[in-house]
Amino acid sequence: MSLKFSFFETLFFFFYRILFKHFRNSKSLHRAVSNNYSKFQRYNSLAHRSDLSNQILIFDVEGALLKSSSLFPYFMLVAFEAGGLFRAFILLVSYPFICLVGEEMGLKIMVMICFFAIKQDNFRSGTAVLPKFFLENVGLEIYEVVKRGGKKVGVSNIPKVMIDSFLRDYLEIDVVVGRELKVFCGYFVGLMEERKKEKLVLQENNSDVIGITRFNKSLDGHKLFLQCKEIYMVRRTDKRSWQQLPRDKYPKPLIFHDGRLAFSPTVLATVAMFMWIPFGFILAIFRAVVALTIPFNISIPILIFSGLFLSVDQPNSSHSSPNPNSKHLLYVCNHRTLLDPLYLSFTLKKNFTAVTYSLSRMSEILAPIKTVRLTRNRDQDAKMMERLLKQGDLVVCPEGTTCREPYLLRFSPLFAEMSDNIVPVACNSHVTMFYGTTAGGLKCLDPLFFLLNPSPSYTVQLLDCVSGLSKCVNDEKSRFGVANHVQSELANALGFEPTKLTRRDKYQILAGNDGIACTSKKP
C-alpha cells in the first residue's frame, strides 16, 4: 500500500512541478507586461506607426511573421526532399511523441531525424524548396509593417540553413539570426550548436529598437529582444485575421523552385499522402501501360476514367497551314512537363517527332512517340530539324527546360529558321500532390510522379499559325523577333509573364550548375 502511495505521490509532484513552472513563467510574463506597459504592447498599435523607417525591427519569424507557427510542414519538406520517403515516414510516426516532449526538445528531435547524415554541400532544400512554402505562409498585414522598418532583423529557433534564403533573397531581410547545425566530415550530425551570445550593433544611428514576437513566449531564448525599447506582442487572434501575402506583393518574384511535393505537408495531409502512395503507384503504372500500348481512340476514354483530364482549345482551325508549299508543321510549345509533346499527340490523335534538349534514357525508351535529342550545337541541330521536318510534323519546346510557375523563359530562336508554318501551342498542367518535374532529382521519375497524382490535368490550346524565317538564317533581329513574338502570344494565351531568364539561370539557382553536367549523369 505504501508503495502505491509513493508512486502516485511522486507522479502528482512531477506533474505539479511542470504545471507550476508553466504557470510561473506565464504569470511572470503577464506581470512583466503589466509592470512595463511602455515596453510590452499589443501588435495592433504598431500597424499605425509612421516612424518605422528610422527604427530597427527585430521580429520572431515563427511567432510573428508566419500565419501558422507549426514547424512540422517545413521539417517534413526537408525529410522528404533531402532524405527520402523512409525518413519522411519516420518523422510522421514520431510526431505524437514530439508533441509530448515540449517545444525545444521536439525541435531537437525533428532536427535529428531530418538532418542526420545529410551531406552539407548537397543540401539545397533551404534555397530551392522551402522559400515557396514559407512565402505562402507569410501574413500580409505583418509583412507590410516589417518592410517599413529601417533595418530588419529576423530571429528564428529553427536551423539557419532552412530560413536564410527565404528571408534574405525573397523578403530582403538585412540580418538573419538562426540556429547553426553541427557538421562532421562534411555531413550534418543532426545536432544544433548551443546558442551563442547574440550581439548586434543596434545603436549605429541612435535609432530605437522595436521587437515583434508571439504573445506569451519567453524572451530568454533570444537576448536580442531584451535590447528592445518596445516589444509588440502578436496574438493568435491577430494571425487569424491576417491575409496571405499575394504573389504580386513578393519583393522578388518566385519563378523557380524545386522539390516533388506540390502541397504543404501538414500532419493530416502527410498521412493522406502515405495512404495514397501504394494505390497511386499501381494507378500510375496502369495509366502508363494504357498510354503506351492502346490506340488513341480507346486509350483516351480509359485515361479520362482513371482521373487524367485533358482540355483542348482549338479555335478557328488554327493548326491549318497558311503556306500551301509547305507539307509539314512545326509545333512550338511552352514547357510544363516532359509530357507536353505526348499530350499534344493525344490532342491531335496522331504521332509525330519531338525534339528535346534533355531527356533521360528511360523516358526516351518508353516514349510512345519518336524523340530526338538536340546536341546544343546550333549547326548540327538545325540540320537535324530540317531533316526531321521533311519526314513529318515536328514539335519543339524552345524554352529548353520546364517552368512550374506562371512564367515563360526565353525562347531559343532556332525554330524560327526551320519552317514558315509555326503553330504555337499553349500548354498548362495542374497537379495536387506531386510535381512531375525536377532540377536536382532523378529526371527518369518525372512522368511517374506526374501520373502518381490523383487527378492531374492538362490544358492544350492551339493558336494561330505564325510565319517563320527559313530563308533568313543571318537575320539575327528577325529570328529573335519571331521567337519573341511566339513567346508573347503563348504568354497572352496562358496569362503568364514572359521573361529573359534561361535554362542556365534555372539550374544555377536550383542545382548550382548549368544543367548540362547534371542531365548527362541521369540514367
Side-chain angles (χ1 to χ4, degrees), residues 388-401:
L388 293 173
L389 269 172
K390 293 179 181 180
Q391 301 173 3
D393 292 345
L394 191 65
V395 58
V396 62
C397 300
E399 288 179 284
T401 187

Side-chain angles (χ1 to χ4, degrees), residues 245-296:
L245 181 66
R247 296 183 63 91
D248 57 359
K249 296 285 186 179
Y250 291 177
K252 176 183 176 181
L254 180 71
I255 300 177
F256 301 124
H257 61 86
D258 205 12
R260 291 296 189 183
L261 295 184
F263 64 98
S264 179
T266 60
V267 177
L268 293 180
T270 305
V271 171
M273 178 192 72
F274 277 101
M275 294 176 63
W276 167 258
I277 284 178
F279 175 75
F281 181 77
I282 298 174
L283 182 61
I285 298 300
F286 171 77
R287 289 167 171 172
V289 171
V290 170
L292 294 174
T293 60
I294 301 179
F296 293 122

Side-chain angles (χ1 to χ4, degrees), residues 153-167:
V153 181
V155 176
S156 175
N157 281 328
I158 64 178
K160 189 176 179 180
V161 293
M162 295 176 61
I163 62 167
D164 191 69
S165 177
F166 154 63
L167 293 176

Side-chain angles (χ1 to χ4, degrees), residues 125-294:
S125 296
T127 57
V129 179
L130 292 176
K132 171 185 182 294
F133 295 92
F134 277 124
L135 286 169
E136 292 175 351
N137 195 21
V138 173
L140 172 61
E141 288 77 4
I142 187 64
Y143 172 71
E144 294 289 347
V145 172
V146 170
K147 78 174 184 178
R148 291 192 283 122
K151 184 173 185 178
K152 300 173 281 290
V153 181
V155 176
S156 175
N157 281 328
I158 64 178
K160 189 176 179 180
V161 293
M162 295 176 61
I163 62 167
D164 191 69
S165 177
F166 154 63
L167 293 176
R168 291 183 185 272
D169 298 339
Y170 290 93
L171 293 189
E172 299 177 345
I173 303 303
D174 301 301
V175 180
V176 178
V177 180
R179 309 283 289 273
E180 298 292 342
L181 294 176
K182 294 183 178 181
V183 179
F184 179 74
C185 294
Y187 290 85
F188 293 119
V189 297
L191 299 174
M192 293 183 290
E193 298 280 0
E194 294 296 328
R195 284 194 180 99
K196 299 178 181 179
K197 188 175 181 181
E198 296 163 347
K199 294 181 180 180
L200 193 66
V201 180
L202 301 179
Q203 278 75 30
E204 51 190 26
N205 55 1
N206 297 323
S207 299
D208 291 334
V209 184
I210 296 177
I212 311 174
T213 187
R214 185 179 66 196
F215 182 79
N216 210 19
K217 181 178 181 180
S218 173
L219 303 181
D220 295 336
H222 292 286
K223 305 300 181 182
L224 291 178
F225 286 103
L226 301 180
Q227 306 177 45
C228 299
K229 181 179 179 181
E230 299 174 272
I231 297 180
Y232 290 84
M233 316 298 287
V234 177
R235 298 173 180 265
R236 289 185 178 181
T237 53
D238 297 327
K239 290 190 173 187
R240 294 193 189 103
S241 64
W242 289 349
Q243 303 178 39
Q244 179 182 337
L245 181 66
R247 296 183 63 91
D248 57 359
K249 296 285 186 179
Y250 291 177
K252 176 183 176 181
L254 180 71
I255 300 177
F256 301 124
H257 61 86
D258 205 12
R260 291 296 189 183
L261 295 184
F263 64 98
S264 179
T266 60
V267 177
L268 293 180
T270 305
V271 171
M273 178 192 72
F274 277 101
M275 294 176 63
W276 167 258
I277 284 178
F279 175 75
F281 181 77
I282 298 174
L283 182 61
I285 298 300
F286 171 77
R287 289 167 171 172
V289 171
V290 170
L292 294 174
T293 60
I294 301 179

